């Protein structure tokens, strides 16, 4: 393990621009279940009933029951050493961009400033009828909450079958094309387009460091693949470069 951390540090110490891509595994040690792991949410819940625009149109109350449960859970959770380490990376000897699939806001809570939340945030609600958007941390919200225009408000997150916000994707692509190292931590690398980010950066010449408890489709392609908990590995990498 130590030699892999050193190899990762070597790559980072040479880099002028770095992008980190994170997923649910980075928040797992904060007590937030992942989606596809042993305790994965999709083992218990049906994504098509809870995380699609069709599900919301059919039963907004059910969708909000689930998002209220998750808001309650996130509210009780705090950043772990992986979040803290990634926040420290902003002080690294390189230009650093953090791209996360997580909607829990724990990266920002840990102090990260330059975070691109590609799947949105559970702490924002929006109206798809009049375009109203609001930052809202009330737990629980009515099921569903209604907009002043009369339409039900929804969580401002990206559901299955929906496109990512164009502005954010533009910033992500720009950072990936400039990156000399891409770190991929705590994601199964199976949900697109986020699962393509590392490959895009590698095709533009970046080296790839993967940190995950298990192998993923990305593991064979990574320059350095470190198998372990992000809360253990990320602080070691940061200690080796800062
Ligand atoms: N440290 C590092 N990796 C971990 C840890 C940990 N402590 N715990 C779990 N992992 C890894 C798992 O091995 C798995 O590869 O994190 C990954 C979590 O994968 P998923 O549950 O699929 O989560 P994610 O990749 O973020 O899902 C992508 O899918 O359901 C949608 O929109 C949702 O953003 C989500 C997207």
């Amino acid at each position: 393990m130590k030699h892999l951390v050193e190899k990762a540090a070597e790559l980072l110490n040479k880099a002028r621009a770095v992008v980190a891509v994170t997923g649910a595994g980075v928040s797992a040690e904060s007590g937030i279940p992942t989606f596809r792991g042993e305790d994965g949410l999709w083992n218990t819940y049906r994504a098509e009933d809870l995380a699609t625009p069709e599900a919301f149109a059919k039963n907004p109350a059910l969708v909000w029951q689930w998002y209220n449960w998750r808001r309650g859970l996130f509210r009780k959770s705090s950043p772990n050493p992986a979040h803290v380490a990634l926040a420290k990376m902003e002080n690294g000897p390189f230009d650093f961009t953090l791209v996360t699939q997580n909607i829990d806001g724990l990266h920002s809570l840990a102090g990260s400033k330059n975070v691109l939340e590609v799947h949105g945030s559970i702490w924002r609600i929006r109206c798809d009828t009049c375009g109203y958007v609001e930052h809202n941390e009330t737990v629980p919200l009515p099921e569903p909450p209604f907009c002043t225009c009369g339409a039900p408000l929804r969580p401002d997150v990206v559901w299955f079958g929906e496109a990512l916000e164009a502005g954010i994707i533009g910033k992500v692509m720009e950072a990936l094309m400039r990156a000399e190292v891409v770190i991929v931590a705590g994601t199964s690398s199976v949900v697109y387009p986020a699962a393509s980010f590392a490959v895009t950066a590698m095709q533009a010449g970046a080296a790839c460091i993967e940190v995950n408890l298990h192998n993923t489709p990305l593991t064979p392609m990574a320059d350095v693949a470190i198998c372990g908990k992000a809360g253990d590995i990320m602080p070691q990498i940061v200690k080796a470069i800062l």
Side-chain angles (χ1 to χ4, degrees), residues 33-49:
T34 64
F35 296 94
R36 295 170 189 82
E38 269 141 47
D39 65 346
L41 290 169
W42 300 145
N43 302 337
T44 315
Y45 302 98
R46 283 165 35 93
E48 50 273 37
D49 295 342

Side-chain angles (χ1 to χ4, degrees), residues 22-30 32-42 47 51 66 70 80 82 100-103 118-119 158-160 185-192 194 210-217 226-233:
T22 68
V26 165
S27 291
E29 293 158 68
S30 297
I32 297 179
T34 64
F35 296 94
R36 295 170 189 82
E38 269 141 47
D39 65 346
L41 290 169
W42 300 145
W66 194 60
R70 294 181 75 198
N80 65 58
T100 189
Q101 298 168 84
N102 301 343
I103 62 173
V118 293
H119 290 165
V158 178
W159 283 327
F160 290 102
T187 179
S188 54
S189 292
V190 296
V191 176
Y192 286 76
E210 184 188 46
V211 175
N212 198 302
L213 267 182
H214 305 291
N215 281 1
T216 73
I226 311 178
C227 186
K229 287 185 168 187
D232 296 339
I233 308 296

